[in-house]
Amino acid sequence: MAVTKLSKLTLIAPETHQERLLKKLQSLQMVEIEDVFENAENQPWLKEFFADYQQETATSYAETLRRIQEAILFIRRQGGSGKIREWQRQSLQLPAFEDSFQEQTVLTLVEQIEELQLQWQKNHEAMQAASQSETWGMEWQNLDVSLEEKELAFATFFCGSVESSHWEAISATLKQLDAVYLEMIYSDTKKTNFSCLYPKKLSAEVENVFQRYSVKKENTDSLKKPKVLLHEAQAKLRELADQRKQLANQIGTYKTKIACLQQAEEYFLTKEQRKMVRKRLVTGKHHTVLRGWVAQQDQQTLEKELADSFNGEVYCSFNEPTLEELTANQVPVKLQNASFIRPFEMLTEMYSLPKYDEIDPTPWMTPFYYVFFGMMVADLGYGGLMALVTTIGLHFFRLPKGTKRFMKLFQTLSVPTMIWGLIYGSFFGATLPFHLLSPAKDFMAIFGLSMIFGGIQLFTGLYLAAKENIRKKDFLAAVNQGFSWQGLLAGLLVAAAGNWLFTAPALVTLGLIIAGLSGLLIVIVPIIKGKSKVGGFFMGIYDLYGVTSYIGDFVSYSRLMALGISGGSIAAAFNLLVGYMPPVARFSVGIILLVILQALNIFLSLLSAYVHAARLQYVEFFGKFFTGGGRAFDTFKPSEKYVDFEKENGGKKDD
């Protein structure tokens, strides 16, 4: 139950086996492959044995993936009302999946869909053009002649538009001129369309007016009347709409092919991963070299699988991580915990993974988070509903890995929620006839219990700080950062208990002596460790001043009481609200209202408990002993976007 021990892996294989080797490693799902060009320790042998090698820049499958993804999206959006046939999530073997996949068949299918996409796009563009023509025709349909009338002998015919705010002014100005005919064709809040007929001898004056009011001339290539163009546009739109409907029906027939396209996407994602990883390898004229990381517990399996598959043609070696790699934080981190603890790893990952040579905080955090979450929600009904929903989801649906982990976490957390619901006697906000603590009456006892749990966690964090420093053989730091603070806090608690709980002066004296000696150690250790004794003294005083932060730490645990009481009180208030309704409303609208309100309270209670329980771990607990900053072990495996691939060697797949 800690960080998995890893070994540095080196594989040397004939160049002709490179693709087969990558397929095998991807199927085994137990190796992280590093980029040999980025690691400084590889440079000497790269220069010596692969001086003329140039890093591979092979064409990727990104373009093929883009085409497949666009085809899926196109069918979903434009495929009419037909039922989509999705690829049901299942568990498969990668080699069998790739061997059975018919690449050319799927690419032909994609080309057929792309042809439909092209037709759909052309139809869309034609509809846009026809729609614009219809809009134009609607605006000019009251004009009884073509905009492009033949040249008149003594007059000029003009059609144009002007801002509606200028219409009155331009109309009044033009009417002052002799023999000028002006007619409004269309008007809205923004613009006014008009036609104008005026003698050619007045062209300069009229054009001057047009220029003054920024009149825009309307042009068209057709000699037809606007009303005729409108009817043609509307007829074209009807024709295109029928065509679009036929296309949608035709596209809809491909909805049954969605599963096939999803298989293709999974297939090419897998190949793209291998193509990208190939850039991390170095390949000479005859051999290819791969370096990476593998769990020590998987070494024997990996050697056997490679020996069986390549008849001993692949050289395999394993080395312990070097001090330089540990110092530079180059060793990845793979957590290994019991099945009960494993769902809580996602909480550690949200904060930060431990470094390779650091303690995994997950097993130590789990019991506290388990109790705190249950104490914050504390409702038998809510916990039972969580257990029911998560159990159904995990047993009757094949979920993606991330969703499955989340569901397992909440399935696990449903148990303490029900236990604390029994302790508080709460069932969907209703009070049960039996309980150990009443949130309405025993809030001080609940507050004291919260402080006790908080104290236990703080002392555990200080113990782990001491334990980690002892492991590093830094015994003074173990005293300064762990044991002395435990003594100081314990002494103060003993003195407080002797003064307020038992009225025992001896306990007060004993507690103060323990606290004083521990405080003295906090001051002395920095003096011993520091190069400057004066600086060490002031550093110790500063550290001792940190005792005030523990007051805030203890107060933070009061949220265990506050959230537990508030959630139950809100649920009870909702029940009371519905209970005041008349009987007819209570058993009709009231039931619906109660379900909605309780669902809202469940969501808020679970969210609050999830966030605040995590905050207590991250701030009050992890801050005492945990640094983090580790890099996650990046297993070379398929993407598993639509399907789960089993490990080829039959090993248990990670949850």
Side-chain angles (χ1 to χ4, degrees):
M1 295 189 294
V3 175
T4 305
K5 294 298 181 183
L6 301 179
S7 292
K8 189 65 175 284
L9 168 68
T10 302
L11 293 180
I12 302 177
E15 186 274 335
T16 54
H17 292 350
Q18 186 186 83
E19 179 65 14
R20 281 183 56 212
L21 176 62
L22 290 178
K23 280 186 179 181
K24 188 68 178 179
L25 294 177
Q26 191 177 34
S27 181
L28 290 172
Q29 303 183 39
M30 59 177 59
V31 173
E32 176 186 297
I33 300 175
E34 75 169 21
D35 191 333
V36 297
F37 302 97
E38 291 184 353
N39 197 327
E41 72 170 12
N42 297 328
Q43 295 308 314
W45 60 265
L46 280 174
K47 291 178 180 178
E48 182 176 355
F49 300 107
F50 298 92
D52 299 331
Y53 174 76
Q54 292 185 352
Q55 193 170 4
E56 182 175 345
T57 56
T59 304
S60 72
Y61 293 96
E63 178 61 21
T64 304
L65 282 166
R66 182 195 62 78
R67 292 171 60 198
I68 294 171
Q69 291 163 354
E70 286 186 358
I72 293 173
L73 186 61
F74 174 69
I75 294 172
R76 288 185 185 279
R77 288 180 174 177
Q78 317 299 351
S81 58
K83 185 177 181 181
I84 293 177
R85 185 176 299 171
E86 301 272 2
W87 189 23
Q88 297 300 315
R89 198 167 191 92
Q90 54 189 297
S91 184
L92 298 176
Q93 290 281 351
L94 179 60
F97 168 71
E98 290 198 325
D99 292 343
S100 63
F101 186 80
Q102 298 178 351
E103 184 174 328
Q104 189 54 49
T105 301
V106 172
L107 292 177
T108 301
L109 174 63
V110 172
E111 289 175 359
Q112 294 171 356
I113 297 172
E114 287 175 337
E115 177 60 32
L116 288 175
Q117 283 181 280
L118 182 60
Q119 294 179 33
W120 185 271
Q121 182 63 27
K122 288 181 178 178
N123 177 274
H124 176 70
E125 292 173 356
M127 288 193 75
Q128 282 187 319
S131 180
Q132 291 175 358
S133 297
E134 182 188 35
T135 302
W136 183 89
M138 293 288 291
E139 293 180 1
W140 289 97
Q141 63 179 325
N142 291 328
L143 184 65
D144 295 329
V145 296
S146 168
L147 271 68
E148 299 294 332
E149 283 294 319
K150 293 182 179 180
E151 186 72 18
L152 301 176
F154 304 103
T156 299
F157 180 68
F158 177 88
C159 291
S161 60
V162 68
E163 291 184 15
S164 294
S165 58
H166 294 162
W167 172 247
E168 294 295 336
I170 194 174
S171 176
T173 303
L174 291 176
K175 285 181 180 180
Q176 293 176 2
L177 301 176
D178 294 334
V180 174
Y181 174 77
L182 189 67
E183 180 180 358
M184 177 193 294
I185 307 300
Y186 166 85
S187 182
D188 58 26
T189 57
K190 293 184 178 180
K191 70 173 182 177
T192 297
N193 297 342
F194 66 93
S195 63
C196 183
L197 186 65
Y198 55 90
K200 287 187 175 181
K201 63 181 181 179
L202 296 179
S203 295
E205 297 178 62
V206 173
E207 290 173 3
N208 184 49
V209 174
F210 288 165
Q211 186 176 6
R212 188 193 316 164
Y213 291 101
S214 302
V215 172
K216 179 182 177 183
K217 184 178 181 180
E218 194 70 31
N219 294 308
T220 180
D221 296 332
S222 176
L223 296 176
K224 297 178 182 179
K225 296 179 181 180
K227 189 172 291 187
V228 174
L229 294 176
L230 172 62
H231 292 161
E232 289 179 352
Q234 291 173 336
K236 185 65 174 178
L237 282 172
R238 288 191 294 270
E239 177 187 342
L240 291 170
D242 291 339
Q243 185 185 51
R244 193 179 189 85
K245 186 176 180 181
Q246 293 174 6
L247 274 174
N249 292 333
Q250 190 175 354
I251 296 166
T253 61
Y254 285 87
K255 284 191 171 183
T256 58
K257 304 293 185 181
I258 287 287
C260 183
L261 292 171
Q262 290 173 334
Q263 291 175 17
E265 185 179 1
E266 190 75 59
Y267 172 80
F268 284 106
L269 279 171
T270 301
K271 296 194 73 170
E272 173 68 7
Q273 286 175 320
R274 290 203 295 269
K275 186 70 74 173
M276 297 303 293
V277 164
R278 192 173 291 127
K279 297 178 181 180
R280 303 179 186 178
L281 280 55
V282 60
T283 305
K285 294 180 180 179
H286 306 290
H287 293 88
T288 184
V289 180
L290 177 152
R291 302 207 74 186
W293 298 95
V294 64
Q296 291 182 4
Q297 63 192 24
D298 293 331
Q299 287 180 197
Q300 187 175 356
T301 302
L302 178 63
E303 282 186 294
K304 182 179 183 303
E305 288 289 330
L306 293 177
D308 293 344
S309 299
F310 297 94
N311 297 320
E313 293 186 76
V314 175
Y315 168 79
C316 187
S317 72
F318 304 96
N319 300 99
E320 291 283 337
T322 63
L323 180 61
E324 292 75 14
E325 288 172 331
L326 292 173
T327 304
N329 198 24
Q330 293 177 346
V331 186
V333 174
K334 186 177 183 181
L335 301 182
Q336 180 185 10
N337 289 292
S339 57
F340 174 78
I341 297 173
R342 201 172 298 133
F344 294 86
E345 289 177 354
M346 63 184 297
L347 297 170
T348 301
E349 292 168 3
M350 286 173 59
Y351 181 81
S352 177
L353 283 172
K355 294 179 181 178
Y356 180 76
D357 57 349
E358 190 177 14
I359 187 174
D360 176 13
T362 311
W364 299 92
M365 170 195 70
T366 296
F368 294 109
Y369 194 95
Y370 188 79
V371 172
F372 293 172
F373 185 94
M375 195 173 180
M376 288 181 182
V377 182
D379 189 282
L380 180 60
Y382 290 2
L385 187 61
M386 284 170 60
L388 178 64
V389 171
T390 54
T391 301
I392 291 174
L394 290 170
H395 285 81
F396 294 97
F397 298 93
R398 183 170 287 277
L399 304 170
K401 182 179 177 181
T403 306
K404 188 176 181 181
R405 291 180 72 194
F406 196 76
M407 294 285 275
K408 280 189 174 181
L409 175 64
F410 275 85
Q411 183 186 50
T412 305
L413 293 173
S414 66
V415 177
T417 302
M418 290 188 284
I419 293 174
W420 280 100
L422 287 171
I423 293 174
Y424 285 2
S426 177
F427 183 82
F428 288 107
T431 303
L432 296 173
F434 51 85
H435 59 267
L436 295 178
L437 293 171
S438 171
K441 299 177 182 178
D442 302 322
F443 59 89
M444 285 305 298
I446 297 173
F447 176 79
L449 201 58
S450 301
M451 295 298 103
I452 291 173
F453 286 145
I456 294 172
Q457 185 170 47
L458 291 178
F459 273 80
T460 303
L462 293 170
Y463 160 75
L464 292 174
K467 179 175 178 290
E468 278 294 277
N469 282 299
I470 290 174
R471 183 179 64 83
K472 298 174 184 176
K473 302 188 184 305
D474 191 349
F475 301 107
L476 288 176
V479 173
N480 180 249
Q481 298 175 15
F483 295 135
S484 59
W485 282 103
Q486 285 182 321
L488 177 62
L489 295 177
L492 293 176
L493 291 174
V494 168
N499 189 36
W500 295 330
L501 296 181
F502 307 108
T503 317
L507 278 180
V508 176
T509 303
L510 177 62
L512 292 177
I513 291 174
I514 295 174
L517 292 175
S518 300
L520 189 61
L521 285 174
I522 294 173
V523 176
I524 290 176
V525 170
I527 297 175
I528 298 174
K529 293 183 64 177
K531 295 180 180 179
S532 168
K533 303 307 178 185
V534 176
F537 171 76
F538 285 105
M539 180 59 70
I541 295 296
Y542 178 78
D543 289 344
L544 184 61
Y545 177 74
V547 71
T548 57
S549 67
Y550 282 89
I551 299 174
D553 290 343
F554 273 102
V555 171
S556 292
Y557 289 95
S558 64
R559 70 190 67 212
L560 298 176
M561 173 199 70
L563 288 175
I565 293 176
S566 64
S569 300
I570 293 172
F574 289 157
N575 295 337
L576 188 63
L577 176 65
V578 175
Y580 278 130
M581 290 182 173
V584 175
R586 188 186 313 159
F587 294 102
S588 56
V589 179
I591 294 176
I592 299 174
L593 180 62
L594 186 61
V595 169
I596 294 174
L597 293 176
Q598 288 285 1
L600 176 63
N601 192 46
I602 290 173
F603 171 75
L604 293 177
S605 296
L606 296 182
L607 178 62
S608 297
Y610 180 77
V611 172
H612 287 284
R615 184 217 176 267
L616 289 174
Q617 313 309 315
Y618 297 160
V619 179
E620 274 68 36
F621 188 47
F622 284 5
K624 302 295 182 290
F625 68 96
F626 182 59
T627 303
R631 177 177 65 82
F633 186 88
D634 185 15
T635 308
F636 178 46
K637 62 183 184 63
S639 67
E640 298 182 312
K641 183 175 181 178
Y642 298 106
V643 69
D644 296 325
F645 287 108
E646 298 174 359
K647 289 185 176 180
E648 186 181 334
N649 66 331
K652 184 178 179 182
K653 187 170 177 63
D654 296 334
D655 291 331

